[in-house]
Amino acid sequence: MSELRPGLPEPTATQITEGFWQAAAEGRLVIQRCRDCGAHRHSPTAACYRCQSQSWDWDEHSGRGRVFSYTWSHHPVHPGLAHLGVYNVSVIELDDTEGDPVRLVSFVTGVEPGELEIDQAVELHFDRVNDETALPVFRPSRTP
Amino acid sequence: MSEPWLSGRAAIVGIGNTAFGKRGEFAERGTFALAVEAIAKACADAGISPQQVDGWASYSDDAATPAALAPAFGCERVRYAGMAWGGGGAGMGGAFLNASMAVATGQADYVVVHRSICQAGGSRFGQALARSDLSASMPEISFTAPFGQLSAAHMFALASRRHMHRFGTSEEQFAEVSINARLMAANNPVARFRDPISVEDHHASRMIADPLRLLDCCMESDVAGAVVVTSAERARDCARDPVYIAAAAMGAPYRWAMGMMGGGNMSDDDFASAGQRTVAEDLYRQSGLGPDDVDVAMIYDHFTPMVLMGLEDFGFCGKGESGDFVQEGRIRLDGALPVNTHGGNLAEVYAHGITHVHEAVRQLRGCANNQVEDARVSLVVGGSGPTPTSAVMLRSES
Ligand SMILES: [Zn+2]
């Protein structure tokens, strides 16, 4: 159960995504990186979109990025989520990646409706779900 | 790419639908009974017996399967059965592509394309995503749902916000799509929402997922629709004038993936799109037709901005120009490109695109409520959604 957004579903790991969630539980953001051409990719998958290699590693990322798009959710999908109130879902484009831009769906904490902007700089922190799981989330960047 | 061999070799000869109910209204009848009613009506319209149907094509994992439909009608044999991938109305045109290929290549004589929705039995799309037991068969969802991206409105709001940021598209321009839908529905006696609305009404409707308001969203419905597809040769012997399938296409651009259900790792231009750029290219090439040939268009309108982005994907205006295009009145009945003349998902009924095909057929038969004079070519665009998206081009002449 997310500390910041209780009631939302927990992630489920697969053979390919397990490493991402293990790292997140340890407070690290890792992105898949192709061993052959170096391209980063997300969400995790079995082959490199650029060179088709099936060989890859996890690459730790600083978690610096920018808001690519966002929405403020006003209407709860079901009554059990009404306690969440108005919340944002944001697509974050990570800085300093190789290949096509790398974007994650996440959310930005510490902002009220009207305070989010596209291209706004954000930095990483974690929302603890349980001992095994944490969600990489973001907040407005404190350093320039 | 080879010559467009398929163009004009298949035709629509019958359409049928149930009444249009609000979500849960037909719960006591259920999905399957609705499908049977719509299919029987489509066959009656074509002047054939449902027993003559020997092929089945659907999409969005429709619950009414050939295994149940064929015996229900006493069909002598099943010769073709095909399911198009893609959720919601994304696979609609894919089902028509499957049906066209089946009848044109002689795999089957009469293929029914059908879609039946009766939602009270199952949980809503977003509610399903919000369940704690996320399916391991949908690993992508673990990168979206735990963060609160649960509903279709959330997903398409992200594309809409990006489009506004890049091109200055406005909420007034979104509203025009909804206003147009209600104006069309006012003259459609079976439409669910027939009261005209103003920009002020649109802006006063409650926010669902910023920038999408209630009046930017279609309303879930209980409904079934069916279409009978046969070869151009057989079509000439049916009860109604054939409407020819000039082309049907399915596809997705580079790294479109799950579309807005996924992480948004397509190109920036495709992020702020309906994901149908490549479907449009294929549809135009295979039909030998272009945007200037289209007399009336049915563009999938689960959310108003997706009509704007659909207009861009299909080349009716340049990238980023759709807001001005609609604000200048071009999609109204008296405009250069009347759009969703039945009221669409927004005002007639939300039936995952099958009723958009019905309206295109009525336009080309010359019997639509909001008839476009001399309509000969109609484009029907399937829903923006996970790969593949799709579309159909229909024409009245072979
Ligand atoms: Zn590679």
Side-chain angles (χ1 to χ4, degrees):
Chain A
M1 192 71 74
S2 156
E3 280 176 9
L4 298 174
R5 294 186 175 175
L8 291 179
E10 294 176 14
T12 307
T14 67
Q15 292 90 334
I16 291 175
T17 67
E18 203 176 8
F20 178 94
W21 295 113
Q22 275 173 1
E26 296 161 8
R28 295 181 299 120
L29 174 65
V30 294
I31 299 295
Q32 249 187 332
R33 183 177 171 98
C34 175
R35 266 192 197 138
D36 287 301
C37 80
H40 287 102
R41 62 180 190 259
H42 184 81
S43 57
T45 186
C48 173
Y49 67 88
R50 194 163 73 176
C51 77
Q52 290 73 53
S53 167
Q54 295 169 41
S55 177
W56 52 271
D57 284 315
W58 294 112
D59 192 27
E60 188 163 341
H61 191 273
S62 68
R64 295 190 172 280
R66 263 149 237 289
V67 176
F68 186 77
S69 194
Y70 64 89
T71 178
W72 287 98
S73 174
H74 288 246
H75 176 72
V77 167
H78 65 74
L81 294 177
H83 65 278
L84 294 177
V86 179
Y87 67 82
N88 73 80
V89 177
S90 299
V91 176
I92 306 301
E93 186 169 302
L94 298 178
D95 291 347
D96 305 319
T97 58
E98 167 65 25
D100 287 352
V102 175
R103 304 187 194 118
L104 292 77
V105 173
S106 183
F107 55 83
V108 181
T109 61
V111 285
E112 296 296 320
E115 292 179 359
L116 262 183
E117 282 177 25
I118 288 178
D119 293 336
Q120 186 173 346
V122 291
E123 62 186 29
L124 178 72
H125 67 117
F126 285 87
D127 174 18
R128 175 63 52 184
V129 175
N130 57 42
D131 287 346
E132 288 89 47
T133 314
L135 303 174
V137 298
F138 294 84
R139 62 188 166 216
S141 194
R142 289 166 188 175
T143 47
Chain B
M1 286 286 170
S2 56
E3 286 294 294
W5 178 86
L6 193 58
S7 185
R9 290 187 191 244
I12 291 173
V13 291
I15 58 175
N17 58 267
T18 63
F20 302 152
K22 66 174 191 238
R23 181 182 192 273
E25 188 169 342
F26 303 143
E28 288 185 9
R29 294 187 61 204
T31 310
F32 189 74
L34 296 186
V36 165
E37 179 190 338
I39 292 164
K41 285 178 169 169
C43 291
D45 186 48
I48 67 164
S49 161
Q51 283 188 298
Q52 291 173 263
V53 174
D54 56 358
W56 306 90
S58 190
Y59 55 101
S60 202
D61 297 324
D62 196 280
T65 62
L69 289 166
F73 287 116
C75 300
E76 197 170 320
R77 62 197 292 177
V78 174
R79 298 172 71 207
Y80 177 80
M83 170 58 64
W85 273 306
M92 181 278 293
F96 281 89
L97 177 58
N98 287 343
S100 299
M101 292 192 294
V103 297
T105 57
Q107 305 302 311
D109 293 340
Y110 297 99
V111 176
V112 162
V113 178
H114 61 96
R115 180 80 186 107
S116 182
I117 306 165
C118 188
Q119 292 185 306
S123 58
R124 285 190 157 124
F125 174 61
Q127 292 176 346
L129 293 186
R131 283 193 323 243
S132 56
D133 57 329
L134 276 176
S135 165
S137 66
M138 287 181 81
E140 306 88 350
I141 300 303
S142 287
F143 291 97
T144 54
F147 300 91
Q149 182 186 295
L150 296 169
S151 72
H154 294 150
M155 300 163 194
F156 292 106
L158 293 167
S160 305
R161 175 59 64 191
R162 187 77 191 164
H163 200 276
M164 294 171 86
H165 171 77
R166 288 191 57 199
F167 306 114
T169 317
S170 70
E171 292 168 15
E172 285 72 22
Q173 292 165 339
F174 297 163
E176 167 59 18
V177 174
S178 213
I179 290 166
N180 179 64
R182 293 294 189 100
L183 285 173
M184 298 293 192
N187 195 33
N188 175 359
V190 296
R192 288 187 60 203
F193 302 100
R194 301 183 63 199
D195 295 333
I197 54 167
S198 64
V199 173
E200 291 71 31
D201 294 331
H202 170 272
H203 286 12
S205 68
R206 66 191 167 87
M207 197 63 87
I208 300 296
D210 182 5
L212 302 179
R213 294 183 163 85
L214 184 66
L215 288 176
D216 291 306
C217 307
C218 67
M219 299 292 277
E220 291 172 304
S221 306
D222 280 7
V223 57
V227 174
V228 180
V229 175
T230 191
S231 65
E233 292 76 34
R234 281 179 198 281
R236 292 180 195 113
D237 299 326
C238 287
R240 306 293 298 252
D241 286 339
V243 167
Y244 295 92
I245 298 175
M250 55 174 143
Y254 177 67
R255 303 193 80 197
W256 176 256
M258 299 284 284
M260 300 316 296
M261 278 183 75
N265 283 281
M266 62 289 279
S267 74
D268 195 357
D269 274 358
D270 288 331
F271 187 101
S273 88
Q276 284 151 328
R277 175 172 57 82
T278 64
V279 167
E281 275 174 28
D282 287 334
L283 194 77
Y284 288 142
R285 179 176 51 77
Q286 290 169 12
S287 65
L289 299 166
D292 291 344
D293 298 308
V294 177
D295 298 310
V296 54
M298 309 303 154
I299 301 186
Y300 200 88
D301 52 337
H302 38 3
F303 300 98
T304 58
M306 304 323 291
V307 173
L308 302 193
M309 294 180 228
L311 288 165
E312 294 174 6
D313 284 356
F314 281 85
F316 293 107
C317 58
K319 186 73 191 166
E321 295 171 357
S322 59
D324 289 339
F325 185 93
V326 301
Q327 211 159 32
E328 288 158 6
R330 288 208 179 91
I331 65 170
R332 299 268 179 115
L333 189 54
D334 60 358
L337 181 75
V339 169
N340 297 346
T341 49
H342 53 327
N345 288 328
L346 290 166
E348 191 203 45
V349 69
Y350 175 48
H352 287 173
I354 196 91
T355 45
H356 287 60
V357 174
H358 291 172
E359 175 67 1
V361 169
R362 285 189 294 266
Q363 285 287 353
L364 299 179
R365 286 174 173 178
C367 65
N369 288 309
N370 292 308
Q371 183 63 44
V372 172
E373 204 177 335
D374 287 332
R376 288 175 188 174
V377 173
S378 185
L379 167 69
V380 191
V381 176
S384 179
T387 301
T389 63
S390 62
V392 189
M393 187 76 91
L394 302 177
R395 66 189 307 169
S396 55
E397 289 140 18
S398 59

